[in-house]
Amino acid sequence: MKRIDPHTHSTVSDGTQTPAELMESAAQAGLDIIGLTDHDTTAGWDEAAHAVASTGVKLLRGMEVTCRHHDTSVHLLSYLHDPADDTLVAICARTMESRATRAQKMVENLSADYPITWEQVQQYAPKDGPIGRPHIADALVAVGAFTNRNECFIRALHPSGPYYVPHWSPDPVEATRVIRAAGGVPVIAHPRARGRNNRVLELEIIEAMIDAGLAGIECDHRDHSVEDSDAMKHLAQTYNLIVTGSSDYHGTGKPNRLGENLTDPHEFARIVEQGKLEVIRP
Ligand code: AMP
Ligand code: ZN
Ligand code: FE
Ligand code: FE
């Protein structure tokens, strides 16, 4: 049975390993295929692709598009899309700019109570990449305010906390259409994970995304209970959607370990069939 983990992050967004290091770790974890899905960017694809030959790990090129519907955060994986698609590139660029402005505002808010500066936080963020709360967390840890990213999220970076500022995000239904038009395969990430204000994504939104061309649902994920996973598999079956499972690995930034959840090879084949690009093989 092939070991396929289709959702991971590198230093190109908020993971802690470079794409090349991630490929090495994937080989050590005994993965046959890894999906690199950094937040709102495909900047890590080339480096990861170069490591396919040396590691023997096949590469599924992807991206996790940050979306929002009113107050609910929605993460939408896009697989094998054209990375030069104008509309998708424009969405990512707008998100990137808004992330920078937003991070600056959050740092300003936090600096009233914690000894951190914008210059310092930028050291932890990818250059010209999608800066996010994990990078602010790294700065808070560096000054000794908290011990790890998770503690920062619970105590200082949570959306219901006093320092939080949202950034612009596309609507998930619109993003689903855009990904399809770019030749991509849209798979909703961890739909039952507790998002902003601890609210779960309403079924109504998922159904609207299905109408817009959603291809699959990430069912097996550490933020899902067994009941969540079963409910999402049932929904996927009802609409004949692809079922995936993944680690959502972030290196040392999260406890998630490579390969802790996997995707069935038959389901993986359905992603490949629908994508514009190929899987990169040694
Ligand atoms: P942002 O995109 O800036 O709103 O930050 C969200 C990102 O933070 C997500 O991509 C998660 O990977 C990460 N994240 C969320 N909660 C935690 C946590 N408790 N510990 C570490 N990382 C987290
Ligand atoms: Zn992340
Ligand atoms: Fe996510
Ligand atoms: Fe993720």
Side-chain angles (χ1 to χ4, degrees):
M1 183 87 159
K2 285 224 157 34
R3 283 166 58 78
I4 306 169
D5 185 345
H7 175 177
T8 69
H9 298 268
S10 76
T11 48
V12 161
S13 63
D14 58 1
T16 61
Q17 289 190 299
T18 64
E21 289 164 352
L22 175 65
M23 294 299 286
E24 287 291 340
S25 295
Q28 280 160 23
L31 295 182
D32 297 286
I33 305 171
I34 189 170
L36 176 64
T37 52
D38 277 304
H39 300 284
D40 310 306
T41 179
T42 60
W45 283 9
D46 285 351
E47 185 183 322
H50 276 113
V52 166
S54 59
T55 58
V57 178
K58 300 178 184 100
L59 177 66
L60 172 67
R61 288 169 288 178
M63 172 165 85
E64 187 173 14
V65 183
T66 312
C67 306
R68 190 172 60 242
H69 179 81
H70 299 305
D71 263 0
T72 311
S73 161
V74 182
H75 285 186
L76 183 56
L77 296 160
S78 173
Y79 291 113
L80 303 173
H81 61 267
D82 175 2
D85 179 84
D86 288 340
T87 314
L88 199 46
V89 165
I91 284 176
C92 293
R94 187 169 172 192
T95 297
M96 204 80 76
E97 267 181 47
S98 177
R99 276 181 172 282
T101 317
R102 169 270 201 146
Q104 226 164 327
K105 283 187 195 144
M106 281 192 71
V107 171
E108 203 179 298
N109 294 346
L110 285 155
S111 67
D113 294 320
Y114 301 98
I116 60 167
T117 64
W118 175 236
E119 286 66 37
Q120 183 205 10
V121 169
Q122 280 176 292
Q123 290 171 23
Y124 298 96
K127 232 184 156 353
D128 305 315
I131 186 166
R133 284 176 289 164
H135 310 109
I136 302 175
D138 291 344
L140 287 166
V141 171
V143 298
F146 302 104
T147 54
N148 57 42
R149 282 186 179 180
N150 186 44
E151 201 190 341
C152 296
F153 271 86
I154 294 167
R155 309 258 304 267
L157 303 176
H158 196 266
S160 58
Y163 312 109
Y164 187 81
V165 177
H167 62 78
W168 178 86
S169 295
D171 178 86
V173 174
E174 178 58 18
T176 302
R177 282 196 203 97
V178 170
I179 289 167
R180 276 291 191 191
V185 187
V187 174
I188 188 167
H190 48 69
R192 285 288 182 105
R194 298 287 183 274
R196 191 165 173 194
N197 300 330
N198 284 334
R199 274 175 45 191
V200 172
L201 189 52
E202 294 96 352
L203 186 60
E204 226 176 28
I205 302 174
I206 305 180
E207 284 176 341
M209 291 169 75
I210 293 170
D211 285 343
L214 189 72
I217 303 179
E218 186 176 67
C219 299
D220 292 323
H221 186 282
R222 79 151 53 207
D223 294 349
H224 284 179
S225 66
V226 173
E227 291 74 26
D228 290 330
S229 169
D230 287 349
M232 290 301 100
K233 283 175 185 169
H234 186 259
L235 184 66
Q237 196 174 24
T238 303
Y239 291 99
N240 191 30
L241 300 178
I242 303 166
V243 170
T244 72
S246 79
S247 66
D248 201 356
Y249 177 74
H250 281 71
T252 56
K254 278 187 163 187
N256 312 30
R257 293 300 91 195
L258 281 172
E260 67 177 29
N261 284 294
L262 297 167
T263 293
D264 183 279
H266 292 106
E267 300 297 312
F268 177 75
R270 295 172 71 190
I271 295 178
V272 179
E273 258 167 37
Q274 295 179 35
K276 182 184 173 100
L277 306 182
E278 306 281 315
V279 170
I280 298 178
R281 299 163 194 281

